[in-house]
Structures are given as structure tokens and as C-alpha cells.
Amino acid sequence: MSEKTINTADAARTGGPGRTNDPDGVRRNILDVALREFADKGYSGARVDEIAAKTATSKRMIYYYFKDKEGLFVAVLEEAYAGIRRIEQTLDLEGLAPADALRRLTEFTFDYQNANPDFVRLVMVENIHNATHLEHSERIQGLNVSVIETLEAVYRRGVAEGTFREGIDVIDLHMTISALSFFNVSNRATFSRIFKRDMATPEALARRRAVVADTVVSFALSPSR
Amino acid sequence: MSEKTINTADAARTGGPGRTNDPDGVRRNILDVALREFADKGYSGARVDEIAAKTATSKRMIYYYFKDKEGLFVAVLEEAYAGIRRIEQTLDLEGLAPADALRRLTEFTFDYQNANPDFVRLVMVENIHNATHLEHSERIQGLNVSVIETLEAVYRRGVAEGTFREGIDVIDLHMTISALSFFNVSNRATFSRIFKRDMATPEALARRRAVVADTVVSFALSPSR
Amino acid sequence: MSEKTINTADAARTGGPGRTNDPDGVRRNILDVALREFADKGYSGARVDEIAAKTATSKRMIYYYFKDKEGLFVAVLEEAYAGIRRIEQTLDLEGLAPADALRRLTEFTFDYQNANPDFVRLVMVENIHNATHLEHSERIQGLNVSVIETLEAVYRRGVAEGTFREGIDVIDLHMTISALSFFNVSNRATFSRIFKRDMATPEALARRRAVVADTVVSFALSPSR
Amino acid sequence: MSEKTINTADAARTGGPGRTNDPDGVRRNILDVALREFADKGYSGARVDEIAAKTATSKRMIYYYFKDKEGLFVAVLEEAYAGIRRIEQTLDLEGLAPADALRRLTEFTFDYQNANPDFVRLVMVENIHNATHLEHSERIQGLNVSVIETLEAVYRRGVAEGTFREGIDVIDLHMTISALSFFNVSNRATFSRIFKRDMATPEALARRRAVVADTVVSFALSPSR
DNA sequence: TATGAATGAGGTTTCATTCAT
DNA sequence: CATGAATGAAACCTCATTCAT
């Protein structure tokens, strides 16, 4: 509960916490802890004091680097979005057949979100707050074009080939992928409680992952096939 | 901001707010207001003072009827779940062909959640809090069996008929329906901000509703068809 | 230093501090203490914590009654201005010859400000803050007309009689009276330190009071006399 | 808000800000900025950080040259007093008739204070703090004898001539001059707000200046005249 | 039952100042 | 000398909750 979290990398570099000369490390450390706290308790529920306590630095440094609680939240949000987009771009879909590429992209999204529940929960929190922070962040606005471009390229190839049916809105498709991946994390608590089903076991995840991928692909496939 | 919310029904019944001796009306009124506040600001973000201020009663009554903030939240949650399940049961799916019934059920879910964003947001809030409140509510646990039974009946008929393919887990199917309906409300703020698309216009809703229904049905249909 | 200040009146009425049912007494008590603190340390220098400590109530109540530090300051300012104007109106100048009335009014002002250094210092503090609080207080705006009216009546009588010369701007006259009275309190610390003269002894006050009155009256007198 | 203030003279001398080796310039620059900040916000209201930010140097230098916030304030105060006294001594009153000399001295005081509101406000601030800083500064104590000597010389000449009446305390006279000059700046904010009169226009200043001079001179004049 | 007053614990933020490079 | 990073103490303010009438 009161464990301090230090990036091992930083600790190694500087010889431990305390007066370090690694401002970036300090920033990172704060962001890491804050992500977890915000994701865990929501914006208002998260306590600056507690974030500070779990950090290798002091509360004062949070204000030094991020101005206030809101500034910290925005920074956390930016990092989180940057994270998924960064990895997304390492996906190499061009060598795959369109249907396989679509499946691969869907699986990636599903896996990423399940592996990063804090990201998902942070987005939930931001939605509860009507995306006001996101609105003010120019950085995030720019980040998200790439997904659509990637998906669009795959879809076009599929249509050209005759694999995919025409008339699908790519943003719609992305929405379906996101929705099915997101829900598995975002609503896990209520859903599994109500339907008495553990959604986080490796088996459950594998099964659901397949269902999601099937759903997406079968929606895109041309009916003639 | 400072408007008091009174159910007109109650007001009529009791001759107006103020010295009312309509305990149920008071309760309802508090729950209505609290739903909106919790859905709007989250659990920690909602303020007991503000809920009281928007109520036709006083803060004292909140504590009288619901013990504390948490008790109020649980009551709100119970009401919210009861609401959707109550309406769900008025759906008459037995007269429809399985595929139509499935489509109808999907559309109903989509419509209900889009018409009741506060319900959706409340569920988000509860998920952020790991469904701890739901856990303590026996009332909610019992409420949700019916959906699955309804869906199961439809699915069986479809399989028997040959319309639906075998091997689908009904809970999985429900999850897909929920996910696609839920996301449209839960992630509206971030999604529409990022992809610059208003998801709440009647046209957008109608389009998405169709896509969602298609997705669900095409997933269930037997491939031979 | 850490003595609590309670209006003896309130204490008598309610049987002491603590859970009293005398909201007005609580308010008054806070205002009394706050006046002294703000006058003593300036706006930023005054500490809400310290004000609270010297009060019969708690810090929380300050915020309850006055919203925030600024609200408290404004309320203190309003009270202070109301105080002097209230007493000013009990002056009965109409029975006096114009020159005597002018002298009397001057002496009153001098006496009041010397007897209420906290009022003077509070006005200094407000001036350092460019009268921003005063600007927002409608209550104060209305309070100050009476002085000018009183002074104007005296001046007119004097001019009609031939005692006072014509052409004096009454606001100018008020300003002279104020300046000479105010300075004796406002600049006492620096002035007496620099010129090594105690300005607060009864004798010093009496002497200065006479000089001030002479100065004002001789300025208003018609030169022919 | 974030403008840096550099004495152009210094900048020229040292080849610009930054790596300057002009300790006096740095000191001056800090004092200039600090004067404005203290005069503007009061002692507690002024922020070391903000002073530093508006300076051509860094916060470190403030502590290096002035030890702490209080040391800085004292230095600013000393400079401010030195300023007025320095100029005062350039006045050449000996060639004027006593009444003219008195008028001239009064006008000078009035003009100086109106031209240097920061000086006036700084003195207000010091008075709020009961002149504790001034007390510790030997430098200031010595500065202020000269005014009195100058005034005394004028007064004596006037009495000898028969122009001025006897029995006036010169320090009293100085006090009257100061009070009337000071008030116009110190209480400008509240006074002009209350009486809805702009006291800072050239016309208003000219008129008031004349009234002040008249008041002072007519007080000193021998009544026989 | 209804209302304003009261409370204590704890939340966010700021400040003057010092350190390390 | 110059700079950004760091610090601890304390400042302002808010919250859920309870009391008295």
C-alpha cells in the first residue's frame, strides 16, 4: 500500500531515489504512479497525497512538474494515448491478406487493452468528465489519425480484392473493434459479478478474443463468400 | 445549477413540495437527483451538499433514508438496474422469427442505453469502483438472470430452426450486444472528440444502431445461409 | 496571543462559547477578530488559521459564513465603513455656528480615526489592493454619501453667512479633513520612528487635533475676516 | 506579466543581460523590480518567485545579495527613502521669499509623491508592518533630518520677516505637508471609488496641488496679514 | 420532519528557501 | 555566477456527517 515505486532503470542510473539528477525519471515515476491511482479511484477519488506517497519524490514535486492535479491528469492521459499509438505503429499489417490483417489488428487492440487495464480505466474516467481534459490537449488530438489510416489501408485492399464488402465506414469499423475490446476491461467488474463468470482468466480471454475477432471479420466480409 | 427537481407526479399528489408527507416521493426525488449527480461527476466527484440542494428536501433526509453517501449510491444503482430489466421484460419476442427477435433485442438494448446515458455512466462509475457496491446488493444480483433467459430462448429457437449456428455461448452474445450498445454512450465523449464525429445526432444513432444490429445478427447466423 | 475573543454580550446570552445558538454572535466574533488581524498583518499576511484560533469558533465556520478569505475581508470592510458612518450620523451639527460645526466635524473625524486605528489600517490595506474589494461591495458604495451631505450643509450655511469663502469644493474639503486625520494613524509608525516623536500620547494627540482643526477651518474661512 | 525588466543603462554598460558581471546593475535591477512588487502587493503578497521572474537575473541572486525576503524589503525601503531625500536637496529655496519657499516645498512634496506612487505605497506597507524594518535600518534614520532643517530655515526666515505667525512646530508643519501630499496617492483607490472622482487626471492633480499649497501656506501665515 | 449551524479530518496548493551542478 | 530541481512547513479550502431546535 505504501510502497514507493521507482523505475528500476532510474534507480540504477542514479544510485537510488532521493536527490537524483534525473528530472525525466522523476516525471516518469510520478506519471506511472498517477496513472495507476487515477485509473483505480477516478479523478476525484485519487489523492495527490497518496500519489506522492507512492512516488520516489514528494508532493511538492508533483506541483512543480505538473502545476496541479488537473495538469497531472492531462499529462497522464497524454502519455497513455501516446503509448497505445506508439505500439500500434509497430504492427506490420502490409504483408498480410486483408482478412488476416483485420483480424490481427483486432486481436492487437483486444490484447493491448486487456494488458493495460489502467489505460482503459483512465479513458473511462476521462469520459465521465466529458473529455474536457482531452479537449485541451493538442498533443492527443494529433495522435489518433494513424489508426484510422492503417485500418483504411487494410479495408481498401480487402474491398479491391473482393474480400470485404463495400460501403463500410472505417470509423464505424474502428468503433466496433474498440467497443468489443474495451468492454471486456471496462465492464469486467459489473459484468463478471452479475453473470458470475471470471473474464480475466487466460482461457476466458482467449475465447473472447476469438469471438471478438470473428465478429469483426464476419461483419466486414463480403456476403457472397 | 440551483434548480430543485421535483417529480410533478409527487407534487400533484402531495399538494406541492415543502411540508410533504409523501416518503416515497421524497425518496424518488432524492434518487433522481442523485442518479444525475453520480452519473455526471462520479462517486467521489458528486457532492452530498449539491445533491441535497437540487432536491426538494434537505440533506437530513438523505441521511435519514440512505444512511450515508454510499448507501445512497447503492440505492441509485439498484434503481437503475431495476429500470432496464423492468422494461426489458415488456419486450415480446416470442412472436418473432429468431433472427428478428435477436435484432429486436439488440435494438432495444441500443436504444435504451442511448436514451439513458445516466444509467450507462452510473455503470461506468461502478466499474471504476470495481463493482464493490453491486457486490453488496443482493437485489441487483437477482435482477439480471432474465435477460439471459430471454436471449437463450431466442437463440435455441434459432438453432433449432437452423438459422443460427451452434456453439455460441449466450452470455458471450449478450456481452457483444452490451458492448456495442454501451460503448456508444460510454465512450462518446472521447471518441467523438478524437474522431471529430458527433455520435449523438438522430442520423448518427440510426446508422450506428443498424450497424450494431447487423454485426450481432451476422455473427449469430449460420454460415451456410 | 492565543486568547480567544468573545463578545461578552454573547457569552452572557448563551452561557459561553461552544455550540451556541447565536449565529449573529458567531459572525460578529469572527468579524471582530478578523478586523484586527487584517489591520495588523495586511490581507496576505493575515492567516485564516490564526483568525480562527482567536475566535470562539473554528476555521470551518469562517468558511461557512464568509465563503473564503476574500469574502471575510469584504465583510470586515463593510462593517468598518458602516461603523464610522453610523456614528457620524449621530453628530448634531445643525445647532452650531458654521465654523464651529466644521471644527466639530473635523475633530470628530480626527478622534474617530485615532480611536479606531484598525479601521484606518484596514483602509490602507484595501488601498494597497487597489480597492478591488470595495468595488464589488454595493453595500459600501451607498454608505458614504451622507458625510458629503452633512459637510455640504455646513459649508452652505457658512457661505450664506459670509463666514466661509466661496468656491470651495466640498469633496476637496472632506479630503483635507480625511487626509489630516488619517495620516496621524496611518503613518504613525514611520513618522514617529523617523522624527523620534511619539504621536500617540494624549498630549500629542490633543495638540495635533487642534492643529488639524485650525488648518481646516482657516482654509475655509473667508479671507476678509 | 512575464516581462523582464532591465535598466537600459545597465544593459548598455554590460552588453546585455545574461552573463553580466555588473553586480551593481544586477542589484539595481532587483531593487527596481522588488519595489514595484512590494508596492503593488504588500510585503506578504509579493512573491520572491515573481520578483525573480521579472528580473534579468535568477532567484539565487536575490538571496545572494539580500539574504532573504526581509533583507530585500529593507534594501528597497532604504533606496526609496534615499531617493526622495536626494532630490529634495536639489531644491533651492533660499532665494525665494518665505511664503513662496513654503509653497514651493509643498508643491515639490506633492509632485514627488504623485510621481512616485510606488514610494508612497511602500511606505504604507511599511506602516502596516509597524515600521519594523525601518527600525533596523540605521541608514534611513539619518536621511530624514535634512527636510526638517530645510523647512526650519524657511520658517525662521518667515517668522523673522513677520510673514509667518509664531509658535508653529516645524515637525507639525512637515506633517501637514506630508499628510496632504501622501493621502492623494495612498487613498486614491478607495477615495476615488467612493466619491466617484478620478484623482489622477492632470487637471485633478493641478487643482488639488493648489488647494494643498493654499492650505499649508494659509495655515502658516500670520493672521494679521 | 425540516432547517441552519456546527464539526474534524483531510484535501489541494503555495511559499520562502536551499541544493547540486 | 547561473540555473533548474528540490524541500518542508504551512497556507487555504472542502467534505461527509451530525447536532440542536
Side-chain angles (χ1 to χ4, degrees):
Chain A
M1 275 291 140
S2 64
E3 272 178 75
K4 298 256 174 181
T5 301
I6 313 145
N7 277 359
T8 45
D10 305 336
R13 212 183 302 142
T14 64
R19 203 169 287 259
T20 165
N21 60 345
D22 179 10
D24 269 19
V26 171
R27 250 188 80 100
R28 259 254 67 76
N29 177 223
I30 295 173
L31 287 173
D32 285 351
V33 173
L35 167 60
R36 258 171 295 165
E37 286 295 306
F38 282 128
D40 205 38
K41 320 258 177 71
Y43 179 75
S44 305
R47 302 295 172 218
V48 175
D49 267 305
E50 203 160 333
I51 293 173
K54 291 180 180 167
T55 271
T57 357
S58 69
K59 187 167 42 162
R60 188 62 192 74
M61 282 294 94
I62 293 178
Y63 288 94
Y64 182 71
Y65 282 111
F66 303 101
K67 181 168 189 326
D68 56 14
K69 192 182 182 179
E70 203 170 340
L72 177 58
F73 185 82
V74 171
V76 166
L77 204 60
E78 287 179 341
E79 275 305 297
Y81 272 103
I84 185 172
R85 296 315 170 209
R86 192 161 42 230
I87 304 195
E88 226 164 41
Q89 275 165 344
T90 67
L91 271 178
D92 189 23
L93 303 175
E94 286 157 37
L96 300 175
D100 291 341
L102 179 59
R103 169 170 284 269
R104 177 83 194 281
L105 184 57
T106 303
E107 288 172 347
F108 164 79
T109 305
F110 185 91
D111 291 344
Y112 185 89
Q113 305 206 345
N114 275 281
N116 295 277
D118 284 343
F119 168 71
V120 169
R121 296 168 64 88
L122 193 73
V123 172
M124 292 168 75
V125 170
E126 175 63 355
N127 271 291
I128 284 292
H129 291 274
N130 295 308
T132 33
H133 309 100
L134 197 147
E135 183 182 21
H136 297 134
S137 165
E138 294 170 20
R139 199 178 148 204
I140 300 180
Q141 306 280 1
L143 281 171
N144 294 284
V145 202
S146 55
V147 219
I148 295 301
E149 286 167 353
T150 308
L151 188 56
E152 178 120 50
V154 171
Y155 175 63
R156 279 205 189 129
R157 276 170 50 217
V159 171
E161 254 190 38
T163 318
F164 295 154
R165 61 190 169 88
E166 286 182 26
I168 294 181
D169 175 5
V170 182
I171 290 187
D172 242 0
L173 192 56
H174 174 60
M175 200 161 157
T176 296
I177 296 172
S178 290
L180 292 170
S181 301
F182 199 90
F183 189 89
N184 218 56
V185 179
S186 69
N187 288 45
R188 180 176 295 171
T190 53
F191 204 90
S192 68
R193 195 88 74 186
I194 289 173
F195 297 106
K196 305 193 158 48
R197 170 171 296 206
D198 190 341
M199 292 155 69
T201 63
E203 300 75 35
L205 283 176
R207 281 196 53 255
R208 183 66 192 163
R209 180 183 196 256
V211 170
V212 167
D214 288 350
T215 307
V216 170
V217 174
S218 76
F219 168 75
L221 287 182
S222 134
S224 58
R225 283 172 51 114
Chain B
M1 271 292 141
S2 63
E3 271 177 78
K4 299 255 174 182
T5 300
I6 313 146
N7 276 359
T8 45
D10 304 337
R13 213 183 301 143
T14 63
R19 206 169 297 266
T20 170
N21 50 359
D22 174 10
D24 265 25
V26 170
R27 244 189 82 99
R28 259 255 64 76
N29 177 222
I30 294 174
L31 288 173
D32 283 352
V33 172
L35 168 59
R36 255 170 296 163
E37 286 294 307
F38 283 128
D40 206 38
K41 320 256 177 73
Y43 179 74
S44 305
R47 303 289 168 232
V48 175
D49 269 308
E50 204 160 333
I51 292 173
K54 290 182 178 166
T55 273
T57 356
S58 71
K59 200 161 35 163
R60 185 75 174 70
M61 289 297 94
I62 293 177
Y63 287 95
Y64 179 75
Y65 282 117
F66 304 102
K67 178 161 189 287
D68 57 13
K69 191 183 183 181
E70 202 169 343
L72 177 58
F73 185 81
V74 171
V76 166
L77 204 60
E78 288 178 342
E79 274 305 298
Y81 271 104
I84 185 171
R85 295 315 168 210
R86 192 159 44 230
I87 304 193
E88 226 164 42
Q89 276 166 344
T90 68
L91 270 179
D92 190 22
L93 303 176
E94 287 158 35
L96 299 175
D100 292 342
L102 180 57
R103 169 170 284 268
R104 178 80 196 281
L105 184 57
T106 304
E107 288 171 347
F108 164 79
T109 305
F110 186 90
D111 290 344
Y112 185 87
Q113 304 205 343
N114 276 281
N116 296 278
D118 283 344
F119 168 71
V120 169
R121 296 168 64 89
L122 193 72
V123 173
M124 292 168 77
V125 169
E126 176 63 356
N127 271 291
I128 284 292
H129 291 273
N130 293 308
T132 34
H133 309 101
L134 200 147
E135 181 181 22
H136 299 132
S137 167
E138 294 170 20
R139 200 180 148 205
I140 300 179
Q141 309 278 358
L143 281 171
N144 293 284
V145 202
S146 55
V147 221
I148 296 300
E149 287 168 352
T150 307
L151 189 55
E152 179 120 50
V154 171
Y155 176 63
R156 282 206 187 125
R157 277 169 52 217
V159 170
E161 253 190 38
T163 319
F164 295 154
R165 61 192 170 89
E166 287 182 28
I168 293 181
D169 175 6
V170 182
I171 290 186
D172 243 1
L173 193 56
H174 174 59
M175 199 160 156
T176 297
I177 296 172
S178 289
L180 293 172
S181 300
F182 199 88
F183 191 87
N184 217 55
V185 178
S186 68
N187 288 46
R188 182 176 294 171
T190 53
F191 203 91
S192 67
R193 196 89 74 186
I194 289 173
F195 298 106
K196 280 141 181 84
R197 171 171 295 206
D198 189 341
M199 291 156 70
T201 64
E203 300 76 36
L205 284 175
R207 283 194 56 253
R208 183 66 192 164
R209 181 184 196 253
V211 170
V212 167
D214 288 351
T215 307
V216 170
V217 175
S218 76
F219 168 76
L221 286 182
S222 126
S224 58
R225 283 174 46 113
Chain C
M1 274 296 138
S2 65
E3 273 178 75
K4 298 255 175 183
T5 301
I6 312 144
N7 275 359
T8 45
D10 304 337
R13 212 183 303 143
T14 62
R19 202 170 287 257
T20 167
N21 61 344
D22 178 10
D24 269 20
V26 172
R27 249 188 80 100
R28 258 255 67 75
N29 178 222
I30 295 173
L31 287 173
D32 285 351
V33 174
L35 168 60
R36 257 171 295 165
E37 286 294 306
F38 282 129
D40 206 38
K41 319 258 177 71
Y43 178 76
S44 306
R47 302 294 171 215
V48 175
D49 268 303
E50 204 161 332
I51 292 173
K54 291 180 179 167
T55 271
T57 358
S58 69
K59 187 167 44 164
R60 189 60 192 75
M61 283 294 95
I62 292 178
Y63 290 95
Y64 181 71
Y65 282 112
F66 304 101
K67 182 172 184 337
D68 56 14
K69 191 182 182 180
E70 203 170 341
L72 176 58
F73 185 82
V74 171
V76 166
L77 205 60
E78 288 179 341
E79 275 304 298
Y81 271 104
I84 185 172
R85 296 314 171 210
R86 192 160 41 229
I87 304 195
E88 226 163 40
Q89 276 165 344
T90 68
L91 270 179
D92 189 23
L93 303 176
E94 286 157 36
L96 300 174
D100 291 343
L102 180 58
R103 170 169 284 269
R104 177 82 193 281
L105 184 58
T106 304
E107 289 172 346
F108 164 79
T109 306
F110 186 90
D111 290 344
Y112 185 89
Q113 305 206 344
N114 275 281
N116 296 278
D118 284 344
F119 168 70
V120 169
R121 296 168 64 88
L122 194 72
V123 173
M124 293 168 74
V125 170
E126 176 63 355
N127 271 291
I128 284 292
H129 291 273
N130 294 307
T132 32
H133 310 100
L134 198 147
E135 183 182 22
H136 297 133
S137 166
E138 293 171 20
R139 200 179 148 203
I140 300 180
Q141 307 280 1
L143 281 172
N144 293 285
V145 202
S146 54
V147 220
I148 295 300
E149 286 168 353
T150 307
L151 189 56
E152 178 120 50
V154 171
Y155 176 62
R156 279 206 188 128
R157 277 170 51 218
V159 170
E161 255 189 36
T163 318
F164 295 155
R165 62 189 168 89
E166 287 183 27
I168 294 180
D169 175 6
V170 182
I171 291 187
D172 242 1
L173 192 57
H174 174 59
M175 199 161 158
T176 297
I177 297 172
S178 290
L180 292 172
S181 301
F182 199 90
F183 190 88
N184 217 56
V185 179
S186 68
N187 288 46
R188 181 176 295 171
T190 53
F191 203 91
S192 68
R193 196 87 75 186
I194 289 174
F195 298 107
K196 306 193 157 47
R197 170 173 294 206
D198 190 340
M199 292 155 69
T201 64
E203 300 75 36
L205 284 176
R207 282 194 55 255
R208 183 66 191 162
R209 182 184 195 254
V211 169
V212 166
D214 288 349
T215 307
V216 170
V217 174
S218 75
F219 168 75
L221 287 182
S222 132
S224 57
R225 284 173 47 113
Chain D
M1 272 291 138
S2 64
E3 272 178 77
K4 297 256 176 181
T5 300
I6 313 145
N7 276 358
T8 44
D10 304 339
R13 213 182 301 142
T14 63
R19 204 170 299 266
T20 170
N21 50 359
D22 174 9
D24 264 24
V26 170
R27 243 188 84 99
R28 258 256 65 75
N29 178 222
I30 295 174
L31 288 173
D32 283 352
V33 172
L35 168 59
R36 255 171 296 165
E37 286 294 306
F38 283 128
D40 205 38
K41 320 256 177 72
Y43 178 75
S44 305
R47 302 290 168 231
V48 175
D49 267 309
E50 204 161 332
I51 292 173
K54 290 181 178 166
T55 274
T57 354
S58 71
K59 201 162 33 164
R60 184 75 173 70
M61 288 298 95
I62 293 177
Y63 286 94
Y64 179 76
Y65 282 119
F66 305 101
K67 179 162 190 286
D68 56 14
K69 192 184 182 181
E70 202 169 342
L72 177 58
F73 185 81
V74 170
V76 166
L77 203 60
E78 288 178 342
E79 274 304 298
Y81 272 104
I84 184 172
R85 294 315 169 211
R86 193 160 40 229
I87 305 195
E88 226 163 41
Q89 277 165 343
T90 68
L91 270 179
D92 189 23
L93 303 176
E94 287 157 36
L96 299 175
D100 291 344
L102 180 57
R103 170 169 283 269
R104 178 81 196 282
L105 184 58
T106 304
E107 288 172 348
F108 165 79
T109 306
F110 185 90
D111 290 344
Y112 185 88
Q113 305 205 344
N114 275 282
N116 295 279
D118 284 344
F119 167 70
V120 169
R121 296 168 64 88
L122 193 72
V123 172
M124 294 168 75
V125 169
E126 175 63 356
N127 271 290
I128 284 291
H129 291 274
N130 294 307
T132 33
H133 309 100
L134 198 147
E135 183 181 22
H136 298 132
S137 165
E138 295 170 20
R139 200 180 147 203
I140 300 181
Q141 308 277 1
L143 281 172
N144 294 283
V145 201
S146 55
V147 219
I148 296 302
E149 287 167 352
T150 307
L151 188 57
E152 180 120 50
V154 171
Y155 176 61
R156 279 201 189 132
R157 276 170 50 216
V159 171
E161 252 190 38
T163 318
F164 295 155
R165 61 192 169 87
E166 286 183 27
I168 294 179
D169 175 5
V170 182
I171 290 187
D172 242 2
L173 193 57
H174 174 59
M175 200 160 157
T176 298
I177 296 172
S178 289
L180 293 171
S181 300
F182 200 89
F183 190 87
N184 217 56
V185 178
S186 68
N187 289 46
R188 182 176 293 172
T190 54
F191 203 91
S192 67
R193 196 88 73 186
I194 289 174
F195 297 107
K196 284 147 178 81
R197 171 171 295 205
D198 189 341
M199 293 156 70
T201 64
E203 299 76 37
L205 284 176
R207 282 195 55 254
R208 183 66 192 162
R209 181 185 197 253
V211 170
V212 167
D214 287 350
T215 307
V216 170
V217 174
S218 76
F219 168 75
L221 285 182
S222 127
S224 57
R225 283 173 50 113

